[in-house]
């Protein structure tokens, strides 16, 4: 039984020139409990829209999202979303940002600070509890955003290119940390990226997305043992293979 | 500090040259008035009393403007329906200077004070000096900067903050209290600062109108009629100083709550 079931979702937009854009067309896929799923595709192919629909921030034209075979109405109470950047509340310090989800559940300050502190330690932000977002580097801000999502404690974490704005070194380090956290916390993660390398490094399974309309073009199970070595021949072969699929797709489309 | 000294020197030069205190008093005469704030002036009471009366009027009218302006601004900023409802009235009323309302307010409210409304009969009560007409124009002057800045603050709350809060389980009420309000607080405080400044200007004008019996604006008009230019100029200096102090107080509050905004990327 699938944990998450995205069932024949259609979504269109009207752009500024009053043209109809078919963002998602009969999009269907499953995600298993505890799985690390990557959605890979060119920028602007509706990947963000998928996450927004799963989280309940947007409604599909038709089709439905099922969690444990229950339809999602309004905001999805089983998931949370990590945005690409600048989603920390600038008027709150790090610990109050991370404890935000607990505060919304009316958990008292002592308890939520204790809980938030665990995740601050987990993402390596100890000592920055009282710092404000503007005092943090981009990488530290995304660590805090991830900690905030973890502290909210939902099975499913949706991530929309969370490392997209970071430099390569920081990105690689955060990828490793994310994998550790994922294993330790037993979360289900749906991770959107346009970076092939990132998808191979992280995913149990990669869904290669078709662009406009968006649907799953190709599905790929990554069986390489972790920690994955970017320089290993298998990794490189996968990288080349996926690149060809993407290029074919772009040329034919 | 060089410019004020030059102005004082020019002032003193012409005061000595004219040698006519009913036209231009000497600097030391005005200064002498300022360092004796408790001296009775022209049988109307002292400076402190007049400042107190003016400040009380402004504070009451301004609080009223804030109490009405902030909630209405929050509604109009958040809900298009309210925005559409208020917008046409606001666009017509906004260019209408509050001072233009003073004669109208005098005609409608005459010299009724807060005391009359509540039927209290204390002859010493400060409320006796808060004329409804003055309250109305101060309210009017303070309302628009507060209202319009609040709308601006609410409608420019970043969507990513709202959506982050929603996916972290915020309810509608929590969204308002924990995101919309703190995020628009710097803009609201800007509105309060401007509104307080306008209120202070308007009250001086209102106090110069007939029917007024106290306040720093009244003192200016009365000392003009008696050609007591030293009192008149001392009053003007006091208006400037009090205005600076008032906006300084709001600025301190604003800086404490908006520190994050200047540094936000």
């Amino acid at each position: 039984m699938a944990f998450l079931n995205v069932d024949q979702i259609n979504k269109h937009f009207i752009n500024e020139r009053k043209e109809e854009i078919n963002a998602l067309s009969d999009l269907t896929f499953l995600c298993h409990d505890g799985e690390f799923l990557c959605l890979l595709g060119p920028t602007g192919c509706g990947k963000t829209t998928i996450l927004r629909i799963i989280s309940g921030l947007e409604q599909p034209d038709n089709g439905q999202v099922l969690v444990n075979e229950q339809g999602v109405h309004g905001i999805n109470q089983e998931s949370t979303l990590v945005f690409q950047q600048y989603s920390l509340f600038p008027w709150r310090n790090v610990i109050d940002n991370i404890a935000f989800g607990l505060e919304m559940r009316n958990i008292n300050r002592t308890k939520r600070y204790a809980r938030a502190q665990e995740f601050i330690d987990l993402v390596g932000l100890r000592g920055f509890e009282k710092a404000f977002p503007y005092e943090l580097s981009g990488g530290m801000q995304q660590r805090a955003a991830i900690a905030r999502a973890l502290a909210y404690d939902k099975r499913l974490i949706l991530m929309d290119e969370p490392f997209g704005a970071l430099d390569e070194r920081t990105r690689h380090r955060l990828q490793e940390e994310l994998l550790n956290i994922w294993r330790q916390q037993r979360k289900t993660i749906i991770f959107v990226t346009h970076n092939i390398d990132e998808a191979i490094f992280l995913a149990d399974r990669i869904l290669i997305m078709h662009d406009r309309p968006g649907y799953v073009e190709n599905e790929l199970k990554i069986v390489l043992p972790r920690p994955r070595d970017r320089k290993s021949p298998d990794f490189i072969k996968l990288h080349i293979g996926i690149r060809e699929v993407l290029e074919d797709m772009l040329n034919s489309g | 500090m060089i410019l004020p000294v030059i102005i004082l020197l020019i002032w003193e030069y012409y005061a000595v040259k004219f040698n006519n205190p009913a036209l231009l008093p000497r600097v030391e005469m005005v200064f002498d008035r300022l360092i004796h704030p408790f001296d009775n002036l022209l049988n109307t009471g002292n400076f402190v009393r007049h400042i107190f009366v003016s400040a009380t009027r402004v504070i009451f009218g301004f609080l009223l403007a804030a109490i009405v302006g902030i909630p209405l601004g929050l509604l109009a900023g958040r809900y298009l329906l309210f925005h559409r409802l208020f917008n046409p009235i606001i666009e017509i009323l906004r260019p209408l200077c509050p001072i233009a309302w003073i004669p109208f307010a005098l005609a409608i409210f005459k010299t009724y004070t807060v005391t009359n409304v509540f039927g209290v009969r204390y002859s010493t009560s400060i409320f006796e000096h808060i004329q409804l007409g003055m309250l109305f124009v101060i309210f009017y002057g303070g309302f628009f900067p507060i209202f319009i800045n609040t709308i601006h603050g609410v409608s420019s709350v970043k969507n990513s903050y709202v959506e982050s809060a929603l996916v972290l389980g915020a309810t509608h009420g929590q969204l308002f209290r924990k995101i919309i309000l703190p995020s628009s607080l710097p803009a609201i405080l800007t509105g309060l600062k401007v509104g307080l400044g306008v209120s202070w200007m308007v009250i001086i004008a209102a106090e110069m109108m007939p029917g007024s019996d106290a306040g720093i604006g009244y003192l200016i008009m009365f000392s003009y009629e008696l050609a007591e230019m030293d009192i008149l100029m001392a009053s003007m200096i006091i208006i400037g100083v009090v205005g600076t102090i008032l906006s300084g107080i709001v600025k301190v509050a604003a800086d404490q709550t908006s520190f994050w905004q200047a540094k936000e990327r």
Side-chain angles (χ1 to χ4, degrees):
Chain A
M1 187 191 84
F3 171 58
L4 177 82
N5 191 344
V6 174
D7 187 21
Q8 298 203 322
I9 283 186
N10 286 280
K11 180 78 184 175
H12 78 279
F13 293 106
I14 309 289
N15 71 3
E16 291 107 45
R17 275 174 282 161
K18 308 271 182 214
E19 294 160 346
E20 196 174 307
I21 304 288
N22 207 356
L24 302 175
S25 165
D26 282 338
L27 176 77
T28 301
F29 66 85
L30 301 176
C31 179
H32 303 289
D33 196 14
E35 186 174 32
F36 201 126
L37 185 68
C38 274
L39 305 185
L40 177 68
T43 309
C45 75
K47 299 181 307 254
T48 297
T49 309
I50 301 168
L51 293 191
R52 293 174 61 83
I53 287 173
I54 295 175
S55 69
L57 288 174
E58 266 176 55
Q59 299 305 313
D61 297 342
N62 52 53
Q64 57 179 344
V65 175
L66 300 162
V67 178
N68 288 326
E69 300 190 332
Q70 298 285 314
V72 171
H73 302 287
I75 297 294
N76 187 342
Q77 298 302 323
E78 302 298 325
S79 74
T80 187
L81 177 57
V82 178
F83 291 84
Q84 185 165 12
Q85 55 179 339
Y86 305 145
S87 68
L88 295 177
F89 307 125
W91 58 89
R92 286 177 165 246
N93 61 25
V94 166
I95 196 160
D96 279 326
N97 259 290
I98 292 174
F100 185 85
L102 303 169
E103 192 177 327
M104 296 303 103
R105 278 192 240 148
N106 298 316
I107 292 167
N108 74 46
R109 179 188 282 255
T110 325
K111 269 193 191 151
R112 64 172 193 260
Y113 273 19
R115 193 98 181 95
Q117 188 65 50
E118 289 174 33
F119 292 99
I120 287 172
D121 294 348
L122 188 69
V123 299
L125 283 177
R126 176 166 276 255
F128 291 94
E129 292 83 356
K130 300 284 171 214
F132 283 85
Y134 64 80
E135 299 173 283
L136 304 181
S137 68
M140 286 159 89
Q141 288 188 20
Q142 285 311 80
R143 282 199 175 99
I146 290 168
R148 185 172 69 178
L150 290 169
Y152 185 48
D153 200 19
K154 297 291 169 184
R155 292 294 295 133
L156 178 60
I157 299 184
L158 308 167
M159 305 186 119
D160 186 10
E161 306 209 26
F163 308 143
L166 306 178
D167 66 86
E168 188 169 300
R169 262 173 60 109
T170 314
R171 190 164 67 231
H172 285 178
R173 199 163 64 231
L174 283 182
Q175 286 166 359
E176 283 165 33
E177 287 173 17
L178 180 63
L179 282 177
N180 288 334
I181 290 167
W182 165 68
R183 246 191 317 257
Q184 208 179 320
Q185 303 281 321
R186 301 171 186 285
K187 299 287 183 189
T188 308
I189 296 181
I190 300 183
F191 190 107
V192 155
T193 180
H194 65 272
N195 185 324
I196 301 172
D197 172 274
E198 186 167 60
I200 302 173
F201 188 79
L202 292 173
D204 288 329
R205 195 155 56 97
I206 299 176
L207 302 181
I208 300 174
M209 302 293 302
H210 186 275
D211 183 20
R212 285 191 189 167
Y215 54 82
V216 179
E217 170 87 25
N218 219 321
E219 183 184 330
L220 211 62
K221 246 193 159 76
I222 310 293
V223 290
L224 299 177
R226 293 192 175 94
R228 290 172 185 161
D229 179 5
R230 290 189 160 83
K231 294 186 202 82
S232 76
D234 289 340
F235 196 105
I236 293 165
K237 216 155 66 188
L238 264 172
H239 198 292
I240 294 167
I242 293 173
R243 158 144 258 131
E244 276 170 0
V245 174
L246 284 171
E247 275 167 5
D248 285 351
M249 206 170 74
L250 286 175
N251 291 337
S252 68
Chain B
M1 283 309 283
I2 192 85
L3 207 56
V5 172
I6 293 173
I7 290 170
L8 286 178
L9 284 175
I10 295 172
W11 168 6
E12 185 72 355
Y13 172 78
Y14 282 103
V16 172
K17 196 176 163 193
F18 295 158
N19 193 23
N20 180 0
L23 183 63
L24 185 65
R26 295 176 57 162
V27 176
E28 57 269 32
M29 289 171 71
V30 174
F31 188 69
D32 186 59
R33 290 293 185 185
L34 287 173
I35 58 171
H36 295 105
F38 291 102
D39 282 6
N40 193 2
L41 304 164
L42 316 170
N43 270 327
T44 65
N46 57 41
F47 274 131
V48 173
R49 176 175 174 273
H50 286 295
I51 294 167
F52 183 68
V53 168
S54 294
T56 317
R57 286 167 175 158
V58 167
I59 288 166
F60 275 88
F62 172 72
L63 284 181
L64 209 59
I67 289 167
V68 178
I70 294 173
L72 283 186
L74 291 173
L75 280 176
R78 189 78 183 129
Y79 301 107
L80 199 60
L81 176 71
F82 281 93
H83 199 261
R84 287 199 181 129
L85 197 66
F86 290 130
N87 209 36
I89 313 169
I90 287 154
E91 288 308 316
I92 291 170
L93 290 183
R94 191 158 58 149
L96 199 49
C97 168
I99 292 169
W101 282 90
I102 294 174
F104 173 84
L106 269 175
I108 296 289
F109 297 107
K110 309 213 161 50
T111 53
Y112 288 128
T113 65
V114 174
T115 324
N116 296 129
V117 175
F118 293 106
V120 192
R121 297 262 176 255
Y122 288 104
S123 58
T124 52
S125 163
I126 182 66
F127 294 111
E128 201 182 29
H129 293 294
I130 305 182
Q131 280 84 349
L132 294 179
M134 293 186 187
L135 214 54
F136 172 79
V137 290
I138 295 169
F139 168 80
Y140 183 89
F143 175 78
F144 283 98
I146 297 172
F147 179 68
I148 286 160
N149 275 287
T150 305
I151 291 181
H152 171 74
V154 173
S155 51
S156 51
V157 173
K158 278 191 191 163
N159 210 23
S160 64
Y161 301 152
V162 172
E163 294 190 334
S164 294
L166 285 175
V167 296
L168 291 166
T171 61
H172 243 73
Q174 286 172 328
L175 195 64
F176 224 96
R177 283 198 313 279
K178 307 280 186 180
I179 304 296
I180 310 278
L181 210 52
S183 182
S184 42
L185 202 54
I188 293 175
L189 281 158
T190 302
L192 291 177
K193 198 172 89 179
V194 177
L196 191 57
V198 174
S199 297
W200 186 238
M201 277 192 248
V202 171
I203 186 59
I204 303 299
E207 285 171 347
M208 291 182 178
M209 298 301 283
S212 164
D213 59 349
I216 207 86
Y218 164 76
L219 186 60
I220 287 189
M221 216 53 199
F222 195 59
S223 51
Y224 162 76
E225 280 162 11
L226 299 180
E228 296 279 355
M229 289 299 280
D230 50 339
I231 299 179
L232 188 148
M233 292 186 72
S235 303
M236 287 170 65
I237 292 170
I238 287 174
I239 291 169
V241 171
V242 174
T244 310
I245 292 170
L246 287 179
S247 70
I249 293 169
V250 184
K251 192 178 180 310
V252 170
D255 287 349
Q256 280 189 344
T257 50
S258 2
F259 63 94
W260 53 270
Q261 207 185 40
K263 287 162 179 151
E264 198 190 5
R265 275 174 289 184

